[in-house]
Amino acid sequence: MDFSNLTLITPSRIDSRWSREDIRGALRVRFSIGRNSYRVDPGLYKLGNPGKKAEVIVTANYKLSFDVVRKNLVGMDAWILVLETYGINVWCAAGKGTFGTDELIRQIKDSRLDLYVSNKRVIVPQLGGPGISGHKVKESSGFAVKFGPVRAEDLRDYLAGGLKKDQAMRSVRFDLKDRLILAPVEVVNSLRYLLYAMVIMVGISGISSHGYSLTDLWNEGVLAALYLILAYFTGAFLSPVLLPWLPFRHFGGKGMVAGFATFGIVALLSWSSNPPLYFAGWFLISGAISSFLAMNFTGASTYTSLSGVQKEMRLFVPLQIAFVVVGLVMIVVSKFV
Amino acid sequence: MNSQSYLRNVSTLTYDAAKCIGCSMCVEVCPHNVFIMTHKRAEIVEKDRCMECGACALNCKPGALSVKQGVGCASAVIWGFLKGTEPTCDCGAGKEASCC
């Protein structure tokens, strides 16, 4: 008989406290530096000294997910079962299917979980729900799936309270704090587009009624770069942060209003010898850029649906394109009138 | 902020109350409190809060719920459009990369 596939994998022991390296790593990924390779090895881990009756907490192999779980279980004894999600957090991986039914069944079997625990159940983060079908896991592995709280910070209360969730533990939030954490990722991720836009807009600044002028390129170019940075930050940072207080349900609408507003204020403060048409052109472009970036924040938000995003994009993408084209024409024409 | 809701009347969530066995898994997995239990049956109380994550349908053993599962992400829609596929989180960089 071949026992080669029954080799016991001795679970690794981990500490629930964060080291300095863990803290530095968490800060780095928040600013989008090397976040796709911030991983732990999938498999079964021991936290403290878990016995046969200890609970099994399932998480993703994105190191920040893993670290947040262990940090919130300081001083407790538990098993942690890490699924291979290619370094992606639970919710996103569940949406993609990597944090999924098959992977959970595979890890339960590969780690020989049945040898370590007697209560035959695993606690899956609630946000793993889009990828994990509890009844299918049970049918295939014999382990029941209990969907735990949304946030790891509620894990301790959930475990202490006999695996009962109240409505707050079940609900996804999108508070100011969450948005302040997510907005920098958005700001850093789209920086290259800001750079492309700057090359184009600074280049256009050199166009003048007396041919291509390097003086204009410099004078107008600085202003163009500043306007672009303003629209960029309005769409990628300010709009996400002010989200609930901006008008419209469409993220593109919220971003457009914010883009118009911040450009309007700055234009009034920086009114120069340029004709109104020049400012009108920039007004449209600023609104379009901010609208586009705010629309991209739908991906970071916790309450937008695909059907909704498709609906708003059918409305706002043509509008954004039209505003950029018309705005560019206005800016160029303004140099000849 | 539990009351956050996105566009109205867009969710593809459907529910066949006749198939419900009252297990309340939908209440357990829904992160936006779309369901409540009344008289041992699930009831949709706030469909506009649904973000089409698909957790309820996937965990509804009798198949009383269905929803077109998807990510509410504009970048994903754009990448899907450019690559001629369904909306995808892959941002054009393959299985091992992610934008969210």
Side-chain angles (χ1 to χ4, degrees):
Chain A
M1 205 182 265
D2 180 20
F3 286 103
S4 61
N5 59 342
L6 295 178
T7 316
L8 266 179
I9 302 158
T10 309
S12 322
R13 188 186 292 277
I14 46 158
D15 199 324
S16 52
R17 286 182 303 255
W18 279 24
S19 67
R20 271 193 191 170
E21 187 46 45
D22 295 330
I23 296 168
R24 272 199 296 273
L27 282 173
R28 273 201 307 272
V29 290
R30 286 299 187 201
F31 287 91
S32 208
I33 302 162
R35 65 199 291 256
N36 287 333
S37 52
Y38 200 54
R39 306 173 182 196
V40 289
D41 291 330
L44 185 62
Y45 291 79
K46 262 180 168 179
L47 186 70
N49 214 349
K52 283 219 147 197
K53 290 196 170 157
E55 299 292 348
V56 181
I57 315 288
V58 181
T59 190
N61 84 326
Y62 179 40
K63 188 166 183 293
L64 198 57
S65 306
F66 179 76
D67 283 353
V68 167
V69 168
R70 68 191 171 105
K71 187 170 94 171
N72 280 286
L73 294 174
V74 173
M76 297 183 79
D77 299 319
W79 302 94
I80 298 186
L81 187 62
V82 178
L83 306 192
E84 172 65 277
T85 62
Y86 307 96
I88 291 162
N89 70 64
V90 172
W91 205 6
C92 289
K96 292 159 85 97
T98 49
F99 191 95
T101 307
D102 294 343
E103 170 63 5
L104 177 54
I105 294 167
R106 187 174 77 89
Q107 290 295 349
I108 287 173
K109 290 184 175 164
D110 285 3
S111 68
R112 298 308 317 266
L113 193 57
D114 53 335
L115 297 181
Y116 297 104
V117 294
S118 55
N119 57 13
K120 290 274 212 175
R121 71 176 170 220
V122 293
I123 295 170
V124 171
Q126 187 186 318
L127 294 185
I132 286 176
S133 173
H135 56 270
K136 287 196 178 139
V137 172
K138 169 96 185 187
E139 275 164 28
S140 229
S141 70
F143 276 80
V145 169
K146 287 287 290 178
F147 285 101
V150 165
R151 283 166 296 276
E153 65 200 53
D154 290 328
L155 257 177
R156 185 177 290 267
D157 289 345
Y158 174 76
L159 294 172
L163 312 192
K164 294 261 187 306
K165 282 191 285 185
D166 57 20
Q167 192 174 329
M169 282 187 193
R170 272 204 299 267
S171 307
V172 152
R173 293 194 306 240
F174 204 43
D175 300 340
L176 181 62
K177 191 183 130 206
D178 304 317
R179 299 195 304 275
L180 280 170
I181 288 172
L182 289 167
V185 175
E186 205 67 16
V187 170
V188 177
N189 275 352
S190 303
L191 268 179
R192 63 179 187 281
Y193 299 115
L194 176 64
L195 220 69
Y196 301 152
M198 276 194 177
V199 170
I200 295 168
M201 295 312 290
V202 172
I204 284 176
S205 302
I207 299 172
S208 78
S209 51
H210 45 275
Y212 200 81
S213 148
L214 285 181
T215 316
D216 281 11
L217 177 73
W218 173 248
N219 290 338
E220 301 293 329
V222 171
L223 200 59
L226 286 176
Y227 287 161
L228 279 176
I229 292 172
L230 177 72
Y232 185 80
F233 270 93
T234 305
F237 188 78
L238 202 60
S239 302
V241 170
L242 299 179
L243 207 63
W245 301 291
L246 290 167
F248 298 112
R249 282 166 177 261
H250 308 72
F251 282 39
K254 290 172 184 288
M256 193 169 279
V257 169
F260 285 156
T262 54
F263 178 78
I265 293 165
V266 170
L268 287 178
L269 294 176
S270 65
W271 199 261
S272 60
S273 55
N274 282 310
L277 197 60
Y278 176 83
F279 286 102
W282 268 109
F283 184 76
L284 290 181
I285 289 175
S286 300
I289 290 173
S290 176
S291 171
F292 179 78
L293 292 165
M295 197 179 75
N296 270 350
F297 197 67
T298 50
S301 88
T302 57
Y303 66 96
T304 51
S305 61
L306 176 58
S307 300
V309 168
Q310 285 173 327
K311 187 179 177 184
E312 88 156 76
M313 287 180 77
R314 281 194 291 272
L315 180 63
F316 279 93
V317 172
L319 211 58
Q320 288 154 5
I321 293 170
F323 280 11
V324 167
V325 171
V326 174
L328 280 175
V329 170
M330 285 168 116
I331 288 170
V332 173
V333 169
S334 77
K335 293 171 184 293
F336 296 93
V337 290
Chain B
M1 221 178 285
N2 290 338
S3 57
Q4 275 166 328
S5 71
Y6 188 41
L7 307 188
R8 291 196 190 94
N9 302 319
V10 291
S11 173
T12 52
L13 176 68
T14 63
Y15 171 50
D16 181 355
K19 287 187 184 165
C20 180
I21 54 170
C23 70
S24 77
M25 279 305 283
C26 50
V27 178
E28 283 294 299
V29 296
C30 178
H32 286 293
N33 303 295
V34 168
F35 308 95
I36 56 164
M37 295 301 292
T38 18
H39 307 301
K40 298 191 176 167
R41 284 272 192 282
E43 188 190 335
I44 295 177
V45 280
E46 197 61 77
K47 192 171 162 184
D48 285 342
R49 281 206 297 251
C50 172
M51 57 176 293
E52 301 179 324
C53 74
C56 59
L58 196 60
N59 283 284
C60 182
K61 200 172 178 184
L65 289 161
S66 77
V67 64
K68 187 178 178 293
Q69 185 178 14
V71 284
C73 171
S75 291
V77 175
I78 293 170
W79 278 108
F81 178 78
L82 293 177
K83 287 161 63 178
T85 61
E86 285 288 294
T88 168
C89 284
D90 287 343
C91 301
K95 190 181 184 183
E96 303 216 350
S98 171
C99 53
C100 69

